[in-house]
Amino acid sequence: MRRAKDAARSIGLLSDAQKREALQAIASAIAGAADEIIAANADDLRRGRDAGLSEALQDRLSLDESRVAALAAAVREISVLPDPVGRVLDRRTLPNGVALTKVSVPFGVVGAIYEARPNVTVDITALALRSGNAVVLRGGSAAASSNAAIVSVMQQALASVGVDPGAIQTVDPFGRDGARALMTARGLVDVLVPRGSADLIRTVVAESTVPVIETGAGVVHIVLDETAPLEWARDIVVNAKVQRPSVCNAVETVLIHRAAADRLVPAVVEALVSNGVTVHGDETILELAGQGVPATEEDWEAEYLSLDVAMRVVDDLDAALDHIRRYSTQHTESIITMNEANAARFTAEVDSAVVMVNASTRFTDGGEFGFGAEVGISTQKLHARGPMGLAELTSAKWIARGAGQVRG
Amino acid sequence: MRRAKDAARSIGLLSDAQKREALQAIASAIAGAADEIIAANADDLRRGRDAGLSEALQDRLSLDESRVAALAAAVREISVLPDPVGRVLDRRTLPNGVALTKVSVPFGVVGAIYEARPNVTVDITALALRSGNAVVLRGGSAAASSNAAIVSVMQQALASVGVDPGAIQTVDPFGRDGARALMTARGLVDVLVPRGSADLIRTVVAESTVPVIETGAGVVHIVLDETAPLEWARDIVVNAKVQRPSVCNAVETVLIHRAAADRLVPAVVEALVSNGVTVHGDETILELAGQGVPATEEDWEAEYLSLDVAMRVVDDLDAALDHIRRYSTQHTESIITMNEANAARFTAEVDSAVVMVNASTRFTDGGEFGFGAEVGISTQKLHARGPMGLAELTSAKWIARGAGQVRG
């Protein structure tokens, strides 16, 4: 951590061109070291199989030639994004002539804690360096060999272009002690980003004294209001559930206004089922649709991340807002409506990072928002909310220029 | 906390005019209840004297008629500041026509933990309500009677204008358990602001699972560079030390370039001493000035908050930057110089909330910056840095408006 803090000094002063060059060196080095990285990854996979790692986790862990090429490509994409450092955020001149400028600056040292995903090692390092930060990584034991190989390749790449390789640090060799040291390195690490399961995030939030940006779970809702056009309702619900069910912006619960239930439920459920979705419905849903399985309390709380969806008929917009207040994780909610007053109430009263009218929740994404890269999707309210791009990896500094002024 | 969270819903939806009216009702109610508040304060003072509370703390705790009038006046001033909610922070239209707007929104519930200062009870409540937030207060046992009286008056004032009085909550009746509950109320409290001693802030940072904005200590430096004009050097150092020594933006250490020491030290030290300041100097300082007391390692770390200052001769700008890196609390540093290259290096390399050239560090202040009110001065890098105004008590929300768009 001390090493990263020292390196942060020089990294923070690199020019736009130098940071771009450093990232391009990393991209080339990763592409050039594909064999070495894949061999290290094979070690992890062997250990994972012996330890009974699930198929899904093995898949996330596994690297082949095309995945290593994708890692290098991602770094190249990040390298050409605009420099987030040095933007003028505010400017004011005091009555006495002192000129104030608020400019964006790197945080210094960004920490990341994640699990069994070697691609995060590359992504978060590239994002941190592009924004002028050093990085301290904790990638977890399941990917230890892969991450060690990748980190070493990236460090050598930095050194090859005259950038302090200390800017990339890992605490993986120190296991759980390393993770604990990272979480409590207040003063050395400026911000910590956990990426992974709800459990991992909870632990980091509870144990960290370093400020954390929570990238959270998504129990995402779509409300089909009384006036929802059938086609929009059906297309948006199917898209939000089916296009990529495993991600946090996929819809998990659909709430239908009672006055629109007869009109909407049969067609929406039919469209979902024909796309392989299991509908967990309340009694009215099951009656009207003639298919589906009964929903229980657990279904309203579920972040399925699978081809399952909960559906419930609500009496009115107030009941929908109550349900959302109770079960939402404040990630993304959308209402399908032609009623402008209801749209306005929904956007004002729903307290989520992204609140939508007549659009698919799948748009909550740094790429879709035009940020070029995504650090994660913040579901907290401090510093960053919703999709985080490079700008969210910067802090600010006030620069004051005077000519001898003193306070009266 | 649950009560504050419920109240936050309606508070967050109040119009600018309604929030202004609520604060004006609070101001009038405080002014009208001066006798009651002063009587409650007398209880606290009696207990404080019996418990051996220091004179300085008794003074901070004590309320008389003019201080109660000042509390009411502060609320009135905050009431007429521009509404920080509903500002458009970003706007973009996706290629598919979905319109995105990022607007400022209240946090929801703001927590505050502070010590023996009834004025913070009023200030932080007014700031929180003006920015559409509910507030949960922990003011400490020394001011328990005063705070209870003030909270009750403010709650009644809200009720009198039809605003939910639940928006102002205190955990003081629950003592330390109350403080602990506040620090761990993640999901109910959105942000926690500790105000007070370094010890208090450390405890809150260590024990909170709620996101904290640290308002920190100031070991503030002024560097007198080789080219510093004598008059600026002397006037700025004296102003920064003497004008109000007890506050965090007062200078604590002055570093003097060796090549300017003969020229600057005698006059600067003489001006300080004639203003009642004790100079803790290194050997060269004491020799050149012919007065002062020897500085030890502890002096470089000291936040005196008194008429004391540490002074040290350094070989060059690099040595000054090294000293600052080691001892600064990253609050405010200023350089006095006519050398533009050194000014540029200083503003680029010093990693503090406010970095100044040729101005007094006393300008680091929400009022001086033109914010109208000050929540505190953030020395952390997440969310807010430097003086915090009402805008720093808001978060953001993305609102997306579509016409049936789905992700391809």
Side-chain angles (χ1 to χ4, degrees):
Chain A
M1 254 79 81
R2 169 62 61 190
R3 189 77 190 76
K5 174 96 175 161
D6 289 343
R9 280 173 52 195
S10 58
I11 300 300
L13 297 173
L14 294 179
S15 70
D16 184 15
Q18 287 171 313
K19 286 182 278 194
R20 238 181 299 132
E21 188 193 7
L23 259 64
Q24 282 158 6
I26 285 177
S28 303
I30 288 173
D35 290 350
E36 184 184 333
I37 292 169
I38 292 168
N41 184 250
D43 277 351
D44 287 331
L45 285 171
R46 205 171 307 123
R47 277 191 302 118
R49 273 191 299 268
D50 292 352
L53 202 66
S54 75
E55 289 288 331
L57 285 179
Q58 284 187 43
D59 178 58
R60 266 173 36 179
L61 173 58
S62 140
L63 292 174
D64 56 18
E65 267 188 53
S66 80
R67 286 191 177 180
V68 172
L71 293 180
V75 176
R76 253 183 251 283
E77 275 172 36
I78 293 168
S79 76
V80 296
L81 290 175
D83 191 343
V85 169
R87 288 168 298 135
V88 173
L89 305 172
D90 197 349
R91 211 192 274 279
R92 38 185 81 209
T93 304
L94 306 191
N96 62 18
V98 171
L100 293 175
T101 315
K102 188 180 188 183
V103 295
S104 63
V105 298
F107 269 116
V109 179
V110 172
I113 298 193
Y114 52 98
E115 287 164 330
R117 296 179 66 170
N119 63 310
V120 176
T121 306
V122 176
D123 275 1
I124 201 90
T125 301
L127 291 163
L129 293 174
R130 188 69 188 95
S131 46
N133 295 290
V135 69
V136 181
L137 303 163
R138 158 65 178 166
S141 53
S145 300
S146 315
N147 287 336
I150 292 169
V151 165
S152 160
V153 165
M154 295 194 297
Q155 286 172 332
Q156 287 165 36
L158 286 189
S160 76
V161 291
V163 173
D164 185 348
I168 308 173
Q169 295 293 319
T170 170
V171 296
D172 278 337
F174 310 103
R176 279 169 195 275
D177 287 346
R180 239 183 319 269
L182 174 54
M183 290 190 281
T184 55
R186 197 169 175 99
L188 293 175
V189 176
D190 295 287
V191 62
L192 187 54
V193 182
R195 282 180 62 169
S197 67
D199 260 4
L200 171 84
I201 292 167
R202 251 192 308 275
T203 304
V204 172
V205 164
E207 298 192 7
S208 283
T209 55
V210 169
V212 170
I213 298 182
E214 193 178 343
T215 60
V219 177
V220 166
H221 295 76
I222 294 178
V223 176
L224 306 182
D225 196 17
E226 186 175 358
T227 57
L230 170 59
E231 202 173 324
W232 288 6
R234 188 187 53 207
D235 292 355
I236 288 173
V237 168
V238 168
N239 179 260
K241 180 73 255 180
V242 171
Q243 201 217 11
R244 201 167 164 210
S246 65
V247 292
C248 60
N249 59 20
V251 68
E252 304 294 13
T253 299
V254 178
L255 303 170
I256 299 115
H257 193 294
R258 191 169 298 283
D262 286 349
R263 185 169 60 85
L264 299 177
V265 168
V268 172
V269 172
E270 180 53 37
L272 285 165
V273 170
S274 73
N275 275 282
V277 177
T278 301
V279 172
H280 304 251
D282 69 5
E283 269 183 44
T284 318
I285 298 283
L286 298 185
E287 264 178 50
L288 290 171
Q291 51 188 334
V293 299
T296 66
E297 175 69 20
E298 280 174 15
D299 287 292
W300 313 132
E301 296 167 354
E303 188 186 18
Y304 296 115
L305 301 174
S306 61
L307 284 173
D308 291 83
V309 73
M311 290 184 75
R312 180 179 209 173
V313 171
V314 291
D315 285 340
D316 52 21
L317 181 58
D318 283 301
L321 292 170
D322 279 344
H323 181 104
I324 288 169
R325 232 176 336 261
R326 179 146 176 209
Y327 297 105
S328 164
T329 53
Q330 304 186 285
H331 184 295
T332 300
E333 332 295 336
S334 184
I335 189 170
I336 316 304
T337 189
M338 298 305 282
N339 179 322
E340 183 47 41
N342 286 356
R345 271 198 70 193
F346 193 80
T347 54
E349 296 187 29
V350 172
D351 184 22
S352 299
V354 185
V355 187
M356 299 181 165
V357 179
N358 297 329
S360 171
T361 57
R362 290 277 295 121
F363 288 117
T364 298
D365 176 274
E368 293 290 319
F369 274 34
F371 295 168
E374 183 177 283
V375 178
I377 293 176
S378 166
T379 54
Q380 69 176 43
K381 294 185 184 172
L382 206 68
H383 185 73
R385 200 166 190 208
M388 293 189 286
L390 284 175
E392 278 73 26
L393 287 183
T394 63
S395 179
K397 175 198 278 189
W398 286 95
I399 295 174
R401 289 289 195 134
Q405 285 91 340
V406 298
R407 188 161 163 186
Chain B
M1 256 80 80
R2 167 62 63 189
R3 188 77 190 75
K5 174 93 177 165
D6 289 343
R9 278 172 55 194
S10 58
I11 300 301
L13 296 172
L14 294 179
S15 69
D16 183 16
Q18 288 171 313
K19 285 182 278 193
R20 240 182 295 133
E21 188 192 8
L23 259 65
Q24 282 158 7
I26 286 177
S28 304
I30 289 173
D35 290 348
E36 184 185 333
I37 292 168
I38 293 168
N41 184 250
D43 277 350
D44 287 332
L45 286 170
R46 204 171 308 122
R47 276 192 301 120
R49 275 190 298 269
D50 292 351
L53 202 66
S54 75
E55 289 287 333
L57 284 180
Q58 283 186 44
D59 177 59
R60 266 173 36 179
L61 173 56
S62 137
L63 292 175
D64 56 18
E65 266 186 56
S66 79
R67 285 192 179 180
V68 172
L71 293 180
V75 176
R76 254 184 250 283
E77 276 172 35
I78 292 169
S79 77
V80 297
L81 290 175
D83 191 343
V85 169
R87 288 169 298 136
V88 173
L89 306 172
D90 197 350
R91 212 193 273 279
R92 38 185 83 208
T93 304
L94 307 191
N96 62 19
V98 171
L100 293 175
T101 316
K102 189 181 189 182
V103 295
S104 63
V105 297
F107 268 118
V109 179
V110 172
I113 297 192
Y114 53 99
E115 285 163 333
R117 296 180 65 171
N119 64 309
V120 176
T121 305
V122 176
D123 275 2
I124 201 91
T125 300
L127 291 163
L129 293 174
R130 189 68 187 99
S131 47
N133 295 290
V135 69
V136 181
L137 303 163
R138 158 64 177 167
S141 52
S145 300
S146 316
N147 288 336
I150 292 170
V151 165
S152 162
V153 165
M154 295 195 296
Q155 286 172 333
Q156 287 165 37
L158 287 188
S160 76
V161 292
V163 173
D164 185 349
I168 308 174
Q169 297 292 320
T170 170
V171 296
D172 278 338
F174 310 103
R176 281 170 193 275
D177 288 346
R180 238 184 319 268
L182 175 53
M183 290 190 282
T184 55
R186 197 170 175 98
L188 294 175
V189 176
D190 295 287
V191 62
L192 188 54
V193 182
R195 282 179 63 169
S197 68
D199 260 3
L200 171 84
I201 292 167
R202 250 193 308 275
T203 303
V204 172
V205 164
E207 297 192 6
S208 283
T209 56
V210 169
V212 171
I213 298 181
E214 194 178 343
T215 61
V219 177
V220 166
H221 296 76
I222 294 178
V223 176
L224 306 182
D225 197 18
E226 184 173 1
T227 56
L230 170 59
E231 202 175 323
W232 289 4
R234 189 186 52 205
D235 293 354
I236 288 174
V237 168
V238 169
N239 179 260
K241 181 72 258 179
V242 171
Q243 201 218 11
R244 198 164 167 213
S246 65
V247 292
C248 61
N249 59 20
V251 69
E252 304 294 12
T253 299
V254 178
L255 303 170
I256 300 117
H257 193 294
R258 190 169 301 282
D262 287 349
R263 184 169 62 83
L264 299 177
V265 168
V268 171
V269 170
E270 179 53 36
L272 285 165
V273 170
S274 73
N275 275 282
V277 176
T278 302
V279 171
H280 305 251
D282 69 6
E283 270 183 43
T284 318
I285 298 282
L286 300 185
E287 264 178 49
L288 290 171
Q291 50 188 337
V293 299
T296 65
E297 175 68 18
E298 280 173 16
D299 287 292
W300 313 132
E301 296 168 355
E303 188 187 17
Y304 297 115
L305 300 174
S306 62
L307 285 172
D308 292 83
V309 72
M311 290 184 74
R312 181 180 209 171
V313 170
V314 291
D315 286 339
D316 51 21
L317 182 58
D318 283 302
L321 291 170
D322 278 345
H323 181 103
I324 288 170
R325 227 172 344 256
R326 179 146 175 210
Y327 296 105
S328 164
T329 53
Q330 302 186 288
H331 184 294
T332 300
E333 332 294 337
S334 185
I335 188 170
I336 316 303
T337 188
M338 299 304 283
N339 179 324
E340 184 47 41
N342 285 358
R345 270 197 71 193
F346 193 79
T347 55
E349 296 187 28
V350 172
D351 184 22
S352 298
V354 185
V355 187
M356 298 181 166
V357 180
N358 296 331
S360 169
T361 57
R362 290 277 295 122
F363 288 117
T364 298
D365 176 274
E368 293 290 321
F369 274 35
F371 295 168
E374 184 177 283
V375 179
I377 293 175
S378 166
T379 53
Q380 68 175 46
K381 295 185 184 172
L382 207 67
H383 185 73
R385 201 166 191 210
M388 293 190 286
L390 284 174
E392 278 73 25
L393 286 184
T394 64
S395 180
K397 177 199 275 189
W398 286 95
I399 295 173
R401 290 286 196 135
Q405 286 90 341
V406 298
R407 186 159 163 188

